[in-house]
Amino acid sequence: MIDALRYPLLSHIDSPADLRALPESDVRAVADELRAYLIESVGKSGGHFAAGLGVVELTTVLHYLYNTPEDRLVWDVGHQAYPHKILTGRRDRIHTVKQKDGVMPFPSRDESPYDTFGVGHSSTSISAALGMAIADAQAGSDRRIVAVIGDGAMTAGMAWEALGHAGGMDEDPNLLVILNDNRMSISEAVGGLTKMLGRMSGNKTLNALREGGKKLLGDKRKSPPARFVKRWEEHWKGMFVPSTLFEQMGFHYTGPIDGHDIDALLATLKTLKGLKGPQLLHVITTKGKGYELAEDDQIGYHAVAPFDPSIGVIGKAGAKKPSYTDVFSDWLCDMATADPKLMGITPAMREGSGLVRFSQTYPDRYFDVAIAEQHAVTLAAGMACEGAKPVVAIYSTFLQRAYDQLIHDVAIQNLDVLFAIDRAGVVGPDGATHAGSFDLTYLRCVPNLVVMAPADEDECRKLLSTGFQYPGPAAVRYPRDAGPGVAVQPSLDTLPIGKAELRSRGGKLALLAFGALLPAAEAVGREFGLTVVNMRFVKPLDRNLILELAHSHEGFVTLEDNAVAGGAGSAVAELLAAESVYLPIQHIGLPDAFLAQGTRAQVLAEAGLDADGVRAAIVRRWGLDSGVPSRTRAVS
């Protein structure tokens, strides 16, 4: 429970209605308490940190002025929303964020009526808010709709598609878009838009003229000089900055204003709340505001493990097993040294995908395209057309956004592009929106594409080399966190395409494991004396080995860290059917449901994909007796 002595105002705010009952003079104090409580609570739980600190004042003022949840507040980039969650009834549970059965790390319609739109991928808020505004207009509702977009989300094409639609409608929608400009995504924001906004917000001359003119000339509705100056305002903007872009798209632009100035926010939003039509408010904020360590290291404090706020985040002492991301990072730099044609591409995930060292070592071959997954893939296709060898480092869940480009721009043209797919399968704390549950399903149906799933760290490096050297599109998918601890060899050796590895030969059943579930398969295989195969390749499958095993075993069990529907196991079943081989087969994989948040181990166990779950499923299906002495024979 919150300490009422330390938080005398916040402790009595159980909903925004309680906030709105306070006098306006208390709003600043509420924001101060909210920031202090956010620092304390995330220090205990870990989670997304710096982004929320940057929107404390904005969040407080929005809930103070707007009648939420009747008025719709739509958040973009959900990790900004921790302060919103604290003010909307989840204050005393915020320390459970990202934990099993705890507060979700992103807005969720299932969790609260104040979460008006679920958020996982970025750049969705304007489209969603516009849809709400159109539906309300049709229904005759006059509720207010506000979209808050920030943390680099305006760099994605979808945001501009929504702006173009909203500003070009015959009947102007009543929509306020707030651009929270903190010059950051997870890394520093990049691209032409970022440069434009920097010029806009940094021009002291323009800002001084505008603010001074307002004070001197008064209300433009009553003062003829003010009305005259307003008509020339766009000409001033064009002389100093390219902010006319938003005006030309049909939005009335206001700003930039200081997003940490409570008085300025209150005054500006009061005015905008009464205006009709599409409005865009540009606010300047600092990611990590109010916690000096986060302000100085906005990337490092984007998301944190539990820490003591009085000390700050301290790196863990001692050696740790390399994660799959670490393996990719090392491989990328080593292969770049060996092949000058290698180009590294990331859609705004330099840190998460492991490209930091590559970006420093090979800056002229590193391309952060901002939050623009579609562009990232087609950019790679264009590079490949001219003989370069691009590597697209991307999360499984984010590659879903570029599926059309993967098919039309890469696969149909059979271009030499390697997709290094991080966070495949069970991801864990970030929940369903970030789970890589479907990549094997949506990749294996694409012609020309080689699809690989390594079972350990060394195999990951070898398969990355295999995919890079393959003269066509290839994908290597690997999970978050560390693998089983297999030592990684420094060579850039490849593996034969489409060849599986027979790990042990036993009787009755053959366990065909794809990727991360191999350790669970081996544990169960040893217990019951079963054959275990490390499949390695989802496409092409090792046809010869599968058919050989089908004729010497009573049944197959396929195991994958992917949705069962249409996944790797389905590929095995399709091969057997095509060869007229009728063999009982059991598919073990992710259930036909969206996965809840929790640690990776917890989610795997809940899905029945740990060793205990695999054992139980096999015993149920095949009637095996637990505790049978091992009859497997290792295959060298």
Side-chain angles (χ1 to χ4, degrees), residues 204-218 236:
K204 296 180 180 179
T205 303
L206 175 64
N207 291 332
L209 281 172
R210 297 185 68 201
E211 297 306 316
K214 290 177 185 177
K215 295 176 182 178
L216 178 65
L217 299 174
W236 294 352

Side-chain angles (χ1 to χ4, degrees), residues 270-318:
K270 282 179 183 177
T271 299
L272 293 176
K273 186 180 177 184
L275 299 180
K276 300 291 186 180
Q279 309 286 326
L280 189 140
L281 172 62
H282 182 189
V283 301
I284 306 298
T285 63
T286 299
K287 192 169 183 176
K289 179 69 174 179
Y291 186 69
E292 186 175 355
L293 294 173
E295 290 187 40
D296 293 340
D297 183 9
Q298 295 174 338
I299 297 173
Y301 280 85
H302 170 76
V304 295
F307 72 102
D308 181 348
S310 66
I311 299 173
V313 174
I314 300 175
K316 294 182 179 179

